[in-house]
Coordinates of all heavy atoms in Angstrom, one line a residue:
G1 N 6.3 20.1 -11.5 CA 5.8 20.8 -10.3 C 5.1 19.8 -9.3 O 4.6 20.3 -8.3
K2 N 5.1 18.6 -9.6 CA 4.4 17.6 -8.8 C 5.3 17.2 -7.6 O 6.5 17.4 -7.6 CB 4.1 16.3 -9.6 CG 3.1 16.4 -10.7 CD 2.8 15.1 -11.3 CE 1.7 15.2 -12.4 NZ 1.5 13.9 -13.0
T3 N 4.7 16.8 -6.5 CA 5.4 16.3 -5.4 C 5.8 14.8 -5.6 O 5.3 14.2 -6.6 CB 4.6 16.4 -4.1 OG1 3.4 15.5 -4.2 CG2 4.1 17.8 -3.8
E4 N 6.7 14.3 -4.8 CA 7.1 12.9 -5.0 C 5.9 12.0 -4.9 O 5.9 11.0 -5.6 CB 8.2 12.6 -3.9 CG 8.8 11.2 -4.1 CD 9.9 10.9 -3.1 OE1 10.4 11.9 -2.5 OE2 10.2 9.7 -2.9
E5 N 5.0 12.2 -3.9 CA 3.9 11.4 -3.8 C 2.9 11.4 -5.0 O 2.2 10.4 -5.2 CB 3.1 11.8 -2.5 CG 3.8 11.6 -1.2 CD 4.8 12.7 -0.9 OE1 4.9 13.6 -1.7 OE2 5.6 12.5 0.1
E6 N 2.9 12.4 -5.8 CA 2.0 12.5 -6.9 C 2.6 11.8 -8.2 O 1.9 11.7 -9.1 CB 1.8 14.0 -7.2 CG 1.0 14.7 -6.1 CD 0.9 16.2 -6.4 OE1 1.8 16.8 -7.0 OE2 -0.2 16.8 -6.1
I7 N 3.8 11.4 -8.1 CA 4.4 10.8 -9.3 C 4.1 9.3 -9.3 O 4.5 8.6 -8.4 CB 5.9 11.0 -9.3 CG1 6.3 12.5 -9.3 CG2 6.6 10.3 -10.5 CD1 7.7 12.8 -9.2
N8 N 3.4 8.8 -10.3 CA 3.0 7.4 -10.4 C 4.2 6.5 -10.7 O 5.1 6.9 -11.4 CB 1.9 7.3 -11.5 CG 1.3 5.9 -11.4 OD1 1.8 4.9 -11.8 ND2 0.0 5.9 -11.0
R9 N 4.2 5.4 -10.1 CA 5.3 4.4 -10.3 C 5.4 4.0 -11.7 O 6.5 3.6 -12.2 CB 5.2 3.2 -9.3 CG 5.5 3.5 -7.9 CD 5.6 2.2 -7.1 NE 4.3 1.5 -7.1 CZ 4.2 0.3 -6.6 NH1 5.2 -0.3 -6.0 NH2 3.0 -0.3 -6.7
T10 N 4.3 3.9 -12.4 CA 4.4 3.5 -13.8 C 5.1 4.5 -14.7 O 5.7 4.2 -15.6 CB 2.9 3.2 -14.4 OG1 2.2 4.5 -14.2 CG2 2.2 2.1 -13.6
V11 N 4.9 5.8 -14.3 CA 5.7 6.8 -15.0 C 7.2 6.7 -14.8 O 7.9 6.8 -15.8 CB 5.2 8.2 -14.5 CG1 6.1 9.3 -15.1 CG2 3.8 8.5 -14.8
L12 N 7.6 6.4 -13.6 CA 9.0 6.1 -13.3 C 9.5 4.9 -14.1 O 10.6 5.0 -14.7 CB 9.2 5.9 -11.8 CG 8.9 7.1 -10.9 CD1 9.0 6.7 -9.4 CD2 9.8 8.3 -11.2
W13 N 8.7 3.9 -14.1 CA 9.2 2.7 -14.8 C 9.4 2.9 -16.3 O 10.4 2.5 -16.9 CB 8.1 1.6 -14.6 CG 8.7 0.2 -15.0 CD1 9.2 -0.7 -14.1 CD2 8.6 -0.4 -16.3 NE1 9.6 -1.8 -14.8 CE2 9.2 -1.7 -16.1 CE3 8.2 0.0 -17.5 CZ2 9.4 -2.6 -17.2 CZ3 8.4 -0.9 -18.6 CH2 8.9 -2.2 -18.4
K14 N 8.5 3.6 -16.9 CA 8.6 4.0 -18.3 C 9.8 4.9 -18.6 O 10.6 4.6 -19.5 CB 7.3 4.6 -18.8 CG 6.1 3.7 -18.9 CD 4.9 4.5 -19.3 CE 5.1 5.3 -20.6 NZ 3.9 6.1 -20.9
K15 N 9.9 6.0 -17.8 CA 11.0 6.9 -18.0 C 12.3 6.3 -17.9 O 13.3 6.7 -18.6 CB 10.8 8.1 -17.0 CG 9.7 9.1 -17.4 CD 10.1 10.0 -18.5 CE 9.1 11.1 -18.8 NZ 9.5 12.0 -19.9
A16 N 12.4 5.4 -16.9 CA 13.7 4.8 -16.6 C 14.2 3.9 -17.7 O 15.4 3.7 -17.8 CB 13.6 4.0 -15.3
R17 N 13.3 3.5 -18.6 CA 13.7 2.5 -19.7 C 13.6 3.1 -21.1 O 13.7 2.4 -22.0 CB 12.9 1.3 -19.5 CG 13.3 0.5 -18.3 CD 12.2 -0.5 -17.8 NE 12.7 -1.2 -16.6 CZ 12.7 -0.6 -15.4 NH1 12.2 0.6 -15.2 NH2 13.2 -1.3 -14.4
E18 N 13.4 4.4 -21.1 CA 13.2 5.1 -22.4 C 14.6 5.3 -23.0 O 15.6 5.6 -22.4 CB 12.6 6.5 -22.2 CG 12.2 7.1 -23.5 CD 11.4 8.4 -23.3 OE1 11.2 8.8 -22.1 OE2 11.0 9.1 -24.2
L19 N 14.7 5.0 -24.3 CA 16.0 5.2 -25.0 C 16.3 6.7 -25.2 O 15.4 7.5 -25.2 CB 15.9 4.5 -26.4 CG 15.6 3.0 -26.4 CD1 15.4 2.5 -27.9 CD2 16.7 2.2 -25.8
K20 N 17.6 7.0 -25.4 CA 18.0 8.3 -25.5 C 17.4 9.0 -26.8 O 17.2 10.1 -26.9 CB 19.5 8.4 -25.6 CG 20.2 8.1 -24.2 CD 21.7 8.3 -24.3 CE 22.4 8.1 -23.0 NZ 23.9 8.2 -23.1
I21 N 17.2 8.1 -27.8 CA 16.7 8.6 -29.1 C 15.1 8.6 -29.1 O 14.5 8.9 -30.1 CB 17.2 7.8 -30.3 CG1 16.8 6.3 -30.1 CG2 18.7 7.9 -30.4 CD1 17.2 5.4 -31.3
G22 N 14.6 8.2 -27.9 CA 13.1 8.1 -27.8 C 12.7 6.6 -28.1 O 13.4 5.8 -28.7
G23 N 11.5 6.3 -27.6 CA 11.0 4.9 -27.8 C 11.6 4.0 -26.8 O 12.3 4.3 -25.9
Y24 N 11.3 2.7 -27.0 CA 11.7 1.6 -26.1 C 12.2 0.4 -26.9 O 11.9 0.2 -28.1 CB 10.6 1.2 -25.2 CG 9.9 2.3 -24.5 CD1 8.8 3.0 -25.0 CD2 10.4 2.7 -23.2 CE1 8.2 4.0 -24.4 CE2 9.8 3.8 -22.6 CZ 8.7 4.4 -23.1 OH 8.1 5.5 -22.5
D25 N 13.0 -0.4 -26.2 CA 13.3 -1.7 -26.8 C 12.0 -2.5 -26.9 O 11.0 -2.3 -26.2 CB 14.3 -2.5 -25.8 CG 15.7 -1.9 -25.9 OD1 16.1 -1.3 -26.9 OD2 16.4 -2.0 -24.8
A26 N 12.1 -3.6 -27.8 CA 10.9 -4.3 -28.1 C 10.2 -4.9 -26.8 O 9.0 -4.8 -26.6 CB 11.2 -5.4 -29.1
D27 N 11.0 -5.6 -26.0 CA 10.5 -6.2 -24.8 C 9.9 -5.1 -23.8 O 8.8 -5.4 -23.2 CB 11.6 -7.0 -24.0 CG 12.0 -8.2 -24.8 OD1 11.2 -8.8 -25.4 OD2 13.2 -8.5 -24.7
V28 N 10.5 -4.0 -23.7 CA 10.0 -2.9 -22.8 C 8.7 -2.4 -23.4 O 7.8 -2.1 -22.7 CB 11.1 -1.8 -22.6 CG1 10.5 -0.7 -21.8 CG2 12.3 -2.4 -21.9
K29 N 8.7 -2.2 -24.7 CA 7.6 -1.6 -25.4 C 6.3 -2.4 -25.2 O 5.2 -1.9 -25.0 CB 7.8 -1.6 -26.9 CG 6.7 -0.9 -27.8 CD 6.5 0.5 -27.4 CE 5.7 1.3 -28.5 NZ 4.4 0.7 -28.7
T30 N 6.5 -3.8 -25.1 CA 5.3 -4.6 -24.8 C 4.7 -4.3 -23.5 O 3.5 -4.2 -23.3 CB 5.7 -6.1 -24.8 OG1 6.3 -6.4 -26.1 CG2 4.6 -7.0 -24.5
I31 N 5.5 -4.1 -22.5 CA 5.1 -3.8 -21.1 C 4.5 -2.4 -21.1 O 3.4 -2.1 -20.4 CB 6.2 -3.9 -20.1 CG1 6.8 -5.3 -20.1 CG2 5.7 -3.6 -18.7 CD1 5.8 -6.4 -19.8
V32 N 5.1 -1.4 -21.8 CA 4.6 -0.1 -21.8 C 3.2 0.0 -22.4 O 2.3 0.7 -21.9 CB 5.6 0.8 -22.6 CG1 4.9 2.2 -22.9 CG2 6.9 1.0 -21.8
D33 N 3.0 -0.8 -23.5 CA 1.7 -0.8 -24.1 C 0.6 -1.3 -23.2 O -0.5 -0.9 -23.1 CB 1.7 -1.7 -25.4 CG 2.5 -1.0 -26.5 OD1 2.7 0.2 -26.4 OD2 2.9 -1.7 -27.4
K34 N 1.0 -2.3 -22.4 CA 0.1 -2.9 -21.4 C -0.3 -1.9 -20.3 O -1.4 -1.8 -19.8 CB 0.7 -4.2 -20.8 CG 0.7 -5.4 -21.7 CD 1.3 -6.6 -21.0 CE 1.3 -7.8 -22.0 NZ 1.9 -9.0 -21.3
I35 N 0.8 -1.1 -19.9 CA 0.5 -0.1 -18.9 C -0.4 1.0 -19.4 O -1.4 1.4 -18.7 CB 1.9 0.6 -18.5 CG1 2.7 -0.4 -17.7 CG2 1.6 1.8 -17.6 CD1 4.1 0.1 -17.4
V36 N -0.2 1.4 -20.6 CA -1.0 2.4 -21.2 C -2.4 1.9 -21.4 O -3.4 2.7 -21.0 CB -0.5 2.8 -22.6 CG1 -1.5 3.8 -23.3 CG2 0.9 3.5 -22.5
S37 N -2.6 0.7 -21.8 CA -3.9 0.1 -22.0 C -4.7 0.0 -20.7 O -5.8 0.4 -20.6 CB -3.8 -1.3 -22.6 OG -5.1 -1.9 -22.7
F38 N -4.0 -0.4 -19.6 CA -4.6 -0.5 -18.3 C -5.0 0.9 -17.8 O -6.1 1.0 -17.3 CB -3.6 -1.2 -17.3 CG -4.2 -1.3 -15.9 CD1 -5.1 -2.2 -15.6 CD2 -3.7 -0.4 -15.0 CE1 -5.6 -2.3 -14.3 CE2 -4.2 -0.4 -13.7 CZ -5.2 -1.4 -13.3
I39 N -4.1 1.8 -17.8 CA -4.4 3.2 -17.3 C -5.6 3.8 -18.0 O -6.5 4.3 -17.4 CB -3.2 4.1 -17.5 CG1 -2.0 3.6 -16.6 CG2 -3.6 5.5 -17.1 CD1 -2.3 3.7 -15.1
N40 N -5.6 3.6 -19.3 CA -6.8 4.2 -20.1 C -8.1 3.5 -19.8 O -9.1 4.1 -19.7 CB -6.5 4.0 -21.6 CG -5.4 5.0 -22.1 OD1 -5.3 6.1 -21.5 ND2 -4.7 4.7 -23.1

């Protein structure tokens, strides 16, 4: 229910690289962990 302006770019980056079975490739997972750590 969010507007386009409310969607964070980091959310898009993560969603775009998520595997169909869930999770991420090893290289992508490293960046995702850094994103999560920074946001928190």
Side-chain angles (χ1 to χ4, degrees):
K2 293 183 177 180
T3 64
E4 184 176 345
E5 293 78 6
E6 294 174 324
I7 302 175
N8 192 287
R9 286 189 301 173
T10 58
V11 173
L12 295 177
W13 196 92
K14 288 176 52 183
K15 284 285 187 180
R17 290 157 181 81
E18 189 173 2
L19 300 173
K20 290 183 178 180
I21 59 175
Y24 306 91
D25 288 330
D27 291 324
V28 175
K29 182 65 165 55
T30 300
I31 303 300
V32 169
D33 288 343
K34 290 182 179 180
I35 292 174
V36 172
S37 177
F38 175 78
I39 294 296
N40 286 331

